[in-house]
Amino acid sequence: MRKEEWHLKFFMCVIQSRQVVTTPQRTDAEASTSSMLIRKPPPETDVLKNLDAMDDPDTMGVTPVLENEWIMTHEEHHAAKTLGIGKAIAVLTSGGDAQGMNAAVRAVVRVGIFTGARVFFVHEGYQGLVDGGEHIREASWESVSMMLQLGGTVIGSARCKDFREREGRLRAAQNLVKRGITNLCVIGGDGSLTGADTFRSEWSDLLSDLQKAGKITAEEAKKSSYLNIVGLVGSIDNDFCGTDMTIGTDSALHRIIEIVDAITTTAQSHQRTFVLEVMGRHCGYLALVTSLSCGADWVFIPECPPDDDWEEHLCRRLSETRTRGSRLNIIIVAEGAIDKNGKPITSEDVKNLVVKRLGYDTRVTVLGHVQRGGTPSAFDRILGSRMGVEAVMALLEGTPDTPACVVSLSGNQAVRLPLMECVQVTKDVTTAMNEKKFDEAMKLRGRSFMNNWEVYKLLAHVRPPVSKTGLHTVAVMNVGAPAAGMNAAVRSTVRIGLIQGNRVLVVHDGFEGLAKGQIEEAGWSYVGGWIGQGGSKLGTKRTLPKKNLEQISANITKFNIQGLVIIGGFEAYTGGLELMEGRKQYDELCIPFVVIPATVSNNVPGSDFSVGADTALNTICTTCDRIKQSAAGTKRRVFIIETMGGYCGYLATMAGLAAGADAAYIFEEPFTIRDLQANVEHLVQKMKTTVKRGLVLRNEKCNENYTTDFIFNLYSEEGKGIFDSRKNVLGHMQQGGSPTPFDRNFATKMGAKAMNWMTEKIKESYRNGRIFANTPDSGCVLGMRKRSLVFQPVTELKEQTDFEHRIPKEQWWLKLRPILKILAKYEIDLDTSEHAHLEHISRKRSGEAPV
């Protein structure tokens, strides 16, 4: 796809090279000098957040921005704030509920109001649309407060038989016309979206029949001559083709992993086998990703039935796991699992097989609707918010000729696709499975789904070589501060290395341990059970190698280390640079090495996401939810929360989006006392409404003078008589806890990718009976860039690095900050002079991906 075709997918994320946030309290002169959003946009990027891929990730993140600078007219600047004047939008949720739907509803309401449109809730899905009356109510800004962290759907969802009949759709059309609503946002699955498209295609005929029956006037029919439909996919199964991730999937994975972790402890105690059944009648995504996240022994999914002799293979696999010292077995079964003949494979069938053939104490746990419940994850809150914003813009920009579209996630972009094309491909998957064309079904699911499957098979089904003499010797170490997911990365690296026939060593306590010789060999069972454990089992320190290069070189020779996998944060990256520099003095350092970014700060150059950042982000969101809830029933209160991250404002910004913050202060966006005062006055005005709680996040090093105490004192003083203030420094709790499903999968993929690269690089570097690697590409950072994981020489990344502040010079997530401000009710000027293009899913299915 040409980049001209996908520029400016998301109206918030393209900011003029100089953009200003203004507030009513400030003069034009003050606004022009404000630095809250004065920043030149970075070059074009396609950054990804991956729950599921190596080369084609399922993602969340930011859309591309324009490379060329251009000047906007005053009219273009204010287009967004007038786009909805005279228009009305209705939003409904239909079908099965999914966590994150409330975030989407909130965004539709607030951005719709921001543009000048009237926005209506439709309660109880299509049934509310048919019944009308109190089921269709106008929404206000305050009506969506405190709903971001709630699971399910606040406005209700219902299966509606009436809407399937023409008479029901006639009543629904009449209810919309009487309220002047010509824009409908539907949040649901493929059935709900198909119903919406049918409704739109019949709209003219419905109006004609209503007019003939005298139920609407000719003038009303003229004003409502066409209906715009935009769909958002809310489904925990992630079964809708055309989008990489559906709203609710990540949260469902959180629920599943919480249960798997709990079951693991009791299974180990009694040496049991557990068979867990998860949702996924026609899609095995939840089962597959769960198996990777918990290191399951086996997974059954509908898209890829097991071979005919699967019973024998399964029992052999379970027996081998026990022989290696494991005290438990975990088997994941998707509810729609089948064999190659289409016969269902149930969790009870699997249990009976294991008991009969192996005699293991085996239990079945069917998770059921618990997967739909609970608080939405940070991912789903941000995804729902982004999709909601784009849906409003798609509706208000729609014309009679615009087909009904679905807002989807492609790579890291919010894009619009023709609704029925997506529905058709989704149906094609089911048809392929029914016709036993399972290879075709896997391809239709996408490359990322297939990559997941391949990594699962490698880790779960391939036997490691029995030989004790390894092909090559590779060492693995952790460097810097601990981050959740480090252990998962070590586990994957060790086991993939063993599968490839390598000898794998583990280094304790980072570069310091490498210098002191704290090194031992790791076997398959050494890393057993590590995938779900937080922190660093190997131990990690911030010590850099420069002062110990002589001892490090000696131990590289002593232990015959031929390659080094470094898992860590900014210290891992700078340590890699020092190793490269040390090659001039020590030939022993001329071995390949790769850095896997792992830090809660997400500040490693060359990668837009780091292992551990998602876990920290969810910890912050959960804590903010509890802190806000603590004020329930009290007088109005504002909380000032300090987050980690060093000079990098990633956590503060993304947590602000996910937790519904009123402001997020970061180093990358300098602010003045005038900005602080404007934020205080803004909160004062909000607190005069029905809003009772405010949330302000501050990155720990955003400003050396405007400290957390200073901001707390300022808000306390200026809010006297209106609200009181409280402060919380979250501290090291952000580095603790079990890794999220995203971090487990991301770390597993990164470890596998790194070891594959390492094995090939060692082969390339073998010269005259020894390993000698001194080219720039022999020392790399493995980072997530442009829909793939890529290896970038550490020396080439130096120009992209702000070493003083330990951050990349350009960071993608800064483009998301305007969303935070709009959803917090700030007056902000945005550019909408270009529009997102409607793409076609057929292009994506032909193998062409955004560049």
Side-chain angles (χ1 to χ4, degrees):
M1 183 187 304
R2 292 179 322 212
K3 64 185 179 184
E4 293 90 351
E5 295 177 343
W6 50 270
H7 276 322
L8 201 55
K9 297 295 178 190
F10 196 29
F11 90 107
M12 302 278 189
C13 299
V14 179
I15 307 171
Q16 183 191 7
S17 60
R18 294 183 181 275
Q19 181 174 26
V20 181
V21 176
T22 60
T23 60
Q25 295 81 8
R26 299 159 70 187
T27 65
D28 291 340
E30 289 172 338
S32 66
T33 57
S34 167
S35 55
M36 287 184 69
L37 268 181
I38 298 179
R39 190 162 297 271
K40 181 177 179 179
E44 192 171 274
T45 57
D46 183 16
V47 186
L48 314 170
K49 180 170 186 188
N50 169 10
L51 259 178
D52 123 326
M54 290 174 67
D55 294 315
D56 183 22
D58 290 348
T59 64
M60 175 185 75
V62 72
T63 57
V65 297
L66 300 176
E67 285 182 327
N68 299 326
E69 295 183 15
W70 41 274
I71 304 299
M72 292 180 290
T73 67
H74 181 78
E75 288 74 17
E76 288 171 339
H77 250 319
H78 291 272
K81 290 192 287 187
T82 59
L83 193 60
I85 292 176
K87 299 179 181 179
I89 301 170
V91 56
L92 64 85
T93 54
S94 177
D97 63 300
Q99 308 97 319
M101 280 184 166
N102 289 327
V105 171
R106 172 179 177 264
V108 169
V109 169
R110 291 195 166 177
V111 176
I113 293 173
F114 172 83
T115 63
R118 298 175 68 199
V119 185
F120 291 82
F121 293 132
V122 179
H123 293 268
E124 313 307 334
Y126 284 118
Q127 191 64 56
L129 203 62
V130 172
D131 295 342
E134 286 299 305
H135 288 94
I136 305 176
R137 306 175 194 167
E138 187 164 359
S140 66
W141 192 280
E142 291 78 16
S143 63
V144 291
S145 293
M146 298 301 293
M147 67 186 293
L148 190 59
Q149 71 274 19
L150 301 178
T153 165
V154 170
I155 60 176
S157 179
R159 312 282 182 181
C160 179
K161 293 182 179 179
D162 292 341
F163 194 76
R164 296 176 184 174
E165 305 297 329
R166 182 176 173 81
E167 180 60 34
R169 293 193 292 275
L170 272 170
R171 291 163 58 192
Q174 180 182 351
N175 289 328
L176 292 182
V177 171
K178 288 297 183 182
R179 292 166 176 81
I181 300 170
T182 57
N183 299 283
L184 183 62
C185 177
V186 178
I187 307 171
D190 59 338
S192 302
L193 300 183
T194 301
D197 187 73
T198 301
F199 190 39
R200 183 182 190 274
S201 64
E202 293 179 348
W203 185 254
S204 296
D205 293 337
L206 293 174
L207 294 192
S208 178
D209 290 353
L210 288 171
Q211 189 176 347
K212 288 177 183 177
K215 294 182 178 180
I216 63 172
T217 66
E219 185 179 353
E220 287 173 331
K222 183 178 180 181
K223 288 182 178 179
S224 304
S225 58
Y226 65 93
L227 177 69
N228 289 321
I229 295 283
V230 171
L232 303 182
V233 190
S235 168
I236 67 166
D237 293 338
N238 200 34
D239 56 354
F240 192 82
C241 293
T243 186
D244 289 338
M245 286 291 286
T246 58
I247 296 170
T249 302
D250 186 58
S251 300
L253 286 169
H254 275 251
R255 298 296 90 76
I256 296 170
I257 292 301
E258 288 167 6
I259 294 168
V260 172
D261 286 350
I263 282 176
T264 297
T265 57
T266 183
Q268 286 176 330
S269 301
H270 298 276
Q271 299 190 61
R272 284 178 174 149
T273 295
F274 268 87
V275 183
L276 281 84
E277 182 179 304
V278 301
M279 285 185 170
R281 192 171 303 149
H282 303 295
C283 180
Y285 182 88
L286 288 179
L288 180 54
V289 175
T290 297
S291 69
L292 286 170
S293 299
C294 69
D297 297 285
W298 200 279
V299 65
F300 294 93
I301 61 173
E303 291 89 347
C304 193
D307 295 330
D308 292 335
D309 62 344
W310 67 268
E311 295 94 338
E312 184 68 29
H313 189 181
L314 170 62
C315 292
R316 184 175 67 246
R317 165 70 180 166
L318 299 182
S319 179
E320 289 174 351
T321 303
R322 293 292 179 98
T323 302
R324 287 196 291 262
S326 176
R327 292 178 58 86
L328 79 158
N329 298 110
I330 299 292
I331 301 169
I332 309 296
V333 181
E335 62 177 331
I338 53 176
D339 63 17
K340 287 190 177 293
N341 297 315
K343 179 183 176 182
I345 298 176
T346 68
S347 50
E348 284 295 332
D349 292 338
V350 177
K351 172 194 170 182
N352 294 335
L353 172 70
V354 175
V355 171
K356 182 179 179 180
R357 295 203 182 183
L358 299 176
Y360 292 167
D361 184 3
T362 306
R363 306 296 170 92
V364 172
T365 299
V366 179
L367 271 60
H369 283 74
V370 69
Q371 297 161 84
R372 290 191 186 278
T375 301
S377 66
F379 180 100
D380 278 326
R381 298 184 197 194
I382 297 171
L383 178 64
S385 298
R386 290 194 59 202
M387 298 300 99
V389 173
E390 180 62 28
V392 171
M393 301 314 297
L395 285 170
L396 298 183
E397 293 168 2
T399 68
D401 299 324
T402 306
C405 73
V406 60
V407 175
S408 73
L409 192 69
S410 176
N412 204 34
Q413 309 169 61
V415 299
R416 307 173 194 175
L417 296 172
L419 190 153
M420 291 314 295
E421 285 186 18
C422 298
V423 170
Q424 186 57 53
V425 176
T426 302
K427 291 180 178 178
D428 289 345
V429 177
T430 304
T431 300
M433 289 191 288
N434 291 338
E435 296 176 353
K436 299 182 177 60
K437 298 177 180 178
F438 298 109
D439 289 341
E440 182 179 340
M442 289 286 282
K443 290 177 182 177
L444 288 169
R445 285 284 181 224
R447 283 185 301 161
S448 56
F449 193 96
M450 295 176 67
N451 284 337
N452 269 332
W453 182 250
E454 293 303 319
V455 174
Y456 154 73
K457 288 197 300 182
L458 195 62
L459 289 171
H461 291 204
V462 177
R463 298 181 183 180
V466 181
S467 174
K468 292 288 184 181
T469 57
L471 179 64
H472 306 296
T473 301
V474 180
V476 187
M477 61 195 294
N478 294 153
V479 176
M486 276 184 164
N487 294 324
V490 172
R491 170 186 176 273
S492 174
T493 303
V494 168
R495 290 192 169 179
I496 295 296
L498 294 174
I499 287 170
Q500 293 174 343
N502 295 318
R503 174 172 170 256
V504 184
L505 305 177
V506 291
V507 181
H508 297 273
D509 295 336
F511 286 117
E512 184 176 312
L514 185 58
K516 293 180 178 179
Q518 297 171 216
I519 303 168
E520 62 178 318
E521 187 169 351
W524 188 270
S525 300
Y526 186 93
V527 291
W530 281 28
I531 193 168
Q533 297 190 30
S536 169
K537 297 278 286 184
L538 294 181
T540 179
K541 292 189 175 181
R542 296 180 182 271
T543 307
L544 294 174
K546 191 172 184 178
K547 295 180 180 179
N548 302 305
L549 288 179
E550 184 176 349
Q551 298 95 314
I552 289 173
S553 300
N555 280 323
I556 287 176
T557 301
K558 178 181 177 180
F559 290 91
N560 190 32
I561 297 173
Q562 298 169 313
L564 189 60
V565 178
I566 308 169
I567 303 167
F570 200 85
E571 290 85 0
Y573 163 66
T574 52
L577 286 173
E578 291 184 5
L579 291 179
M580 292 291 285
E581 188 67 24
R583 288 178 175 181
K584 299 175 183 177
Q585 190 175 358
Y586 300 96
D587 284 350
E588 295 86 350
L589 299 179
C590 293
I591 59 172
F593 70 84
V594 59
V595 175
I596 297 177
T599 168
V600 301
S601 300
N602 196 34
N603 64 336
V604 178
S607 185
D608 297 291
F609 290 97
S610 299
V611 172
D614 186 68
T615 303
L617 180 58
N618 278 277
T619 299
I620 297 170
C621 287
T622 301
T623 306
C624 288
D625 290 346
R626 292 177 178 175
I627 288 173
K628 288 196 294 184
Q629 190 179 46
S630 71
T634 66
K635 62 180 181 179
R636 290 172 171 81
R637 181 164 290 171
V638 173
F639 294 95
I640 316 297
I641 311 294
E642 182 183 299
T643 67
M644 296 181 79
Y647 287 99
C648 181
Y650 173 82
L651 287 179
T653 296
M654 302 304 279
L657 279 169
D662 295 280
Y665 300 115
I666 62 172
F667 169 78
E668 292 89 347
E669 231 176 55
F671 55 95
T672 67
I673 190 64
R674 291 189 182 93
D675 299 317
L676 291 171
Q677 182 63 29
N679 295 151
V680 173
E681 292 175 359
H682 179 77
L683 260 176
V684 167
Q685 295 303 315
K686 285 180 70 173
M687 290 293 184
K688 291 179 179 178
T689 65
T690 58
V691 174
K692 292 185 177 181
R693 283 177 288 285
L695 180 66
V696 176
L697 299 182
R698 178 189 177 274
N699 170 242
E700 60 183 343
K701 292 188 177 180
C702 65
N703 190 294
E704 61 181 345
N705 294 313
Y706 301 139
T707 63
T708 300
D709 286 335
F710 177 92
I711 293 175
F712 166 70
N713 291 332
L714 176 66
Y715 276 75
S716 298
E717 181 64 29
E718 296 298 319
K720 277 184 179 179
I722 300 172
F723 60 80
D724 61 7
S725 301
R726 296 289 187 273
K727 66 177 177 180
N728 295 83
V729 178
L730 301 185
H732 285 77
M733 66 181 295
Q734 297 162 82
Q735 290 180 335
S738 298
T740 59
F742 166 77
D743 276 329
R744 299 184 193 200
N745 280 282
F746 187 33
T748 299
K749 303 298 188 342
M750 295 283 269
K753 188 88 169 178
M755 185 53 80
N756 287 335
W757 177 88
M758 182 61 70
T759 301
E760 292 302 316
K761 190 60 67 173
I762 289 175
K763 290 178 182 177
E764 290 176 14
S765 306
Y766 193 81
R767 301 169 191 167
N768 302 321
R770 58 166 292 195
I771 304 299
F772 188 79
N774 64 347
T775 57
D777 66 352
S778 62
C780 291
V781 170
L782 172 56
M784 191 183 287
R785 295 279 198 184
K786 299 196 174 185
R787 288 189 68 81
S788 62
L789 298 176
V790 295
F791 295 89
Q792 302 151 96
V794 291
T795 51
E796 292 182 7
L797 293 172
K798 289 175 70 174
E799 293 183 357
Q800 304 174 26
T801 307
D802 177 354
F803 286 97
E804 179 184 356
H805 300 106
R806 295 162 53 89
I807 57 175
K809 291 180 180 178
E810 294 170 349
Q811 301 183 84
W812 64 270
W813 47 266
L814 286 169
K815 309 307 161 305
L816 294 181
R817 287 186 62 81
I819 304 175
L820 190 157
K821 290 178 170 58
I822 280 191
L823 296 179
K825 208 174 183 179
Y826 279 91
E827 292 293 326
I828 176 172
D829 290 331
L830 293 168
D831 166 41
T832 57
S833 58
E834 293 191 31
H835 307 286
H837 296 281
L838 189 70
E839 299 183 4
H840 293 275
I841 192 172
S842 56
R843 260 204 234 130
K844 298 184 182 302
R845 294 300 150 192
S846 66
E848 187 172 355
V851 295

